[in-house]
Amino acid sequence: MNLFPIEAGNFKLDGGAMFGVVPKTLWSRTNPADSNNMIDIAARCLLIENGDRLTLIDNGMGNKQSEKFFGYYYRWGDHNIDDSLRAAGFHRDDITDVFLTHLHFDHCGGSVQWNKDRTGYEPAFKNASYWSNEKHWEWATKPNRRERASFLKENIMPLEESGQLKFVADPTSDFSEANELDFGIFFADGHTEKQMIPHIKYKGKTVVFMADLLPTAGHLPVPYVMGYDTRPLLTLPEKEKFLKAAADHKYYLFLEHDAHNPIITVKHTEKGVRLDERFTLNEIFN
């Protein structure tokens, strides 16, 4: 098995929204804001090469939305998914599976693109199966008012219409070891219904793709919960349970949204689970 980080593009989000009720005087110590109160955010995806299977976990915002839409997110830097795949030695047509942790636009927007004459949409990974789960799909396709702006029909419905959509087995608990993609999944409901957090065994390590359960290293204190979470009081015990396990077993936490700390480990302290070590991508994957 080989793992490759795939950079789908950086953007910015409001720091207050990213940290909910936590005062700026606290969160700005780890995630400094610009003059517009925006903080740096990554869309760092993960590519798993395992035999003849090439699985991409999440794929960023994509590029089909309007300039007005992207204007809200202050994109910065030169990263894009095609260049990142090329640097790893692959093309999007090589992808056999696209695993979507959840269907918010910044995680799945790259799943779908305009067709050649821009009259409609088509899967951006034409040879891939797209993986979600039934409960989250139901949640996303019949969105509540809180999340409606994050579940965009043009990112979601073309996957079903293409016939390329598949569902992992319904979880019988919050952690599933066995599934069709050969990695474990931690199911979490605080951010959105049945968000999936993959656990990959790699060279004697457990690498966990954190999605929005832990957006950045600055979110490590349990009460530091995003304003975007639909059930913040459920995020608290889910996050606490996971972080204790991560400290116990020294999981390597792959941070999808932290633009400056790609991978971290955590440890137990008197104040709870806190940052232990930071790693560059090369230190883990080379």
Side-chain angles (χ1 to χ4, degrees), residues 67-84:
E67 285 305 310
K68 180 180 179 181
F69 176 90
F70 288 124
Y72 298 130
Y73 301 104
Y74 301 87
R75 292 184 294 175
W76 57 278
D78 298 323
H79 292 313
N80 67 79
I81 199 163
D82 287 303
D83 286 348
S84 195

Side-chain angles (χ1 to χ4, degrees), residues 139-198:
W139 184 269
T141 54
K142 298 177 182 177
N144 59 75
R145 292 184 181 181
R146 177 79 177 274
E147 289 180 279
R148 188 174 295 162
S150 294
F151 290 131
L152 305 181
K153 290 183 179 179
E154 60 268 32
N155 290 337
I156 298 172
M157 301 316 297
L159 303 181
E160 184 176 47
E161 294 162 1
S162 72
Q164 294 172 233
L165 177 66
K166 294 185 178 181
F167 295 134
V168 300
D170 282 345
T172 56
S173 66
D174 60 4
F175 186 83
S176 171
E177 286 283 4
N179 64 76
E180 299 89 333
L181 291 166
D182 300 321
F183 49 72
I185 300 171
F186 182 83
F187 291 87
D189 297 314
H191 179 59
T192 188
E193 177 75 9
K194 292 293 175 286
Q195 178 184 201
M196 300 189 289
I197 308 298

Side-chain angles (χ1 to χ4, degrees), residues 54-225:
L54 198 61
T55 301
L56 179 65
I57 301 177
D58 284 355
N59 49 55
M61 290 188 188
N63 58 16
K64 64 183 177 300
Q65 305 298 333
S66 68
E67 285 305 310
K68 180 180 179 181
F69 176 90
F70 288 124
Y72 298 130
Y73 301 104
Y74 301 87
R75 292 184 294 175
W76 57 278
D78 298 323
H79 292 313
N80 67 79
I81 199 163
D82 287 303
D83 286 348
S84 195
L85 284 170
R86 191 177 301 113
F90 301 103
H91 184 273
R92 63 174 60 225
D93 292 350
D94 300 325
I95 304 299
T96 63
D97 299 273
V98 176
F99 181 88
L100 300 169
T101 60
H102 60 298
L103 296 168
H104 287 166
F105 69 86
D106 56 319
H107 294 258
C108 76
S111 299
V112 174
Q113 63 189 8
W114 285 106
N115 60 17
K116 286 185 179 179
D117 56 8
R118 295 180 70 86
T119 58
Y121 301 109
E122 63 185 13
F125 302 91
K126 66 180 184 180
N127 298 316
S129 296
Y130 287 82
W131 295 88
S132 183
N133 66 76
E134 289 187 16
K135 291 181 179 178
H136 182 65
W137 183 264
E138 178 77 7
W139 184 269
T141 54
K142 298 177 182 177
N144 59 75
R145 292 184 181 181
R146 177 79 177 274
E147 289 180 279
R148 188 174 295 162
S150 294
F151 290 131
L152 305 181
K153 290 183 179 179
E154 60 268 32
N155 290 337
I156 298 172
M157 301 316 297
L159 303 181
E160 184 176 47
E161 294 162 1
S162 72
Q164 294 172 233
L165 177 66
K166 294 185 178 181
F167 295 134
V168 300
D170 282 345
T172 56
S173 66
D174 60 4
F175 186 83
S176 171
E177 286 283 4
N179 64 76
E180 299 89 333
L181 291 166
D182 300 321
F183 49 72
I185 300 171
F186 182 83
F187 291 87
D189 297 314
H191 179 59
T192 188
E193 177 75 9
K194 292 293 175 286
Q195 178 184 201
M196 300 189 289
I197 308 298
H199 291 54
I200 301 104
K201 300 291 186 182
Y202 175 71
K203 296 184 178 180
K205 307 178 182 71
T206 297
V207 177
V208 185
F209 187 90
M210 292 308 303
D212 281 338
L213 182 61
L214 187 73
T216 75
H219 287 84
L220 277 170
V222 170
Y224 285 36
V225 174

Side-chain angles (χ1 to χ4, degrees), residues 24-79:
K24 183 177 180 179
T25 52
L26 296 179
W27 60 253
S28 61
R29 297 173 186 174
T30 56
N31 297 72
D34 65 16
S35 59
N36 292 317
N37 209 49
M38 309 293 278
I39 64 173
D40 291 348
I41 298 291
R44 184 178 298 110
C45 311
L46 184 62
L47 186 65
I48 306 171
E49 182 185 31
N50 192 8
D52 59 0
R53 196 165 213 169
L54 198 61
T55 301
L56 179 65
I57 301 177
D58 284 355
N59 49 55
M61 290 188 188
N63 58 16
K64 64 183 177 300
Q65 305 298 333
S66 68
E67 285 305 310
K68 180 180 179 181
F69 176 90
F70 288 124
Y72 298 130
Y73 301 104
Y74 301 87
R75 292 184 294 175
W76 57 278
D78 298 323
H79 292 313

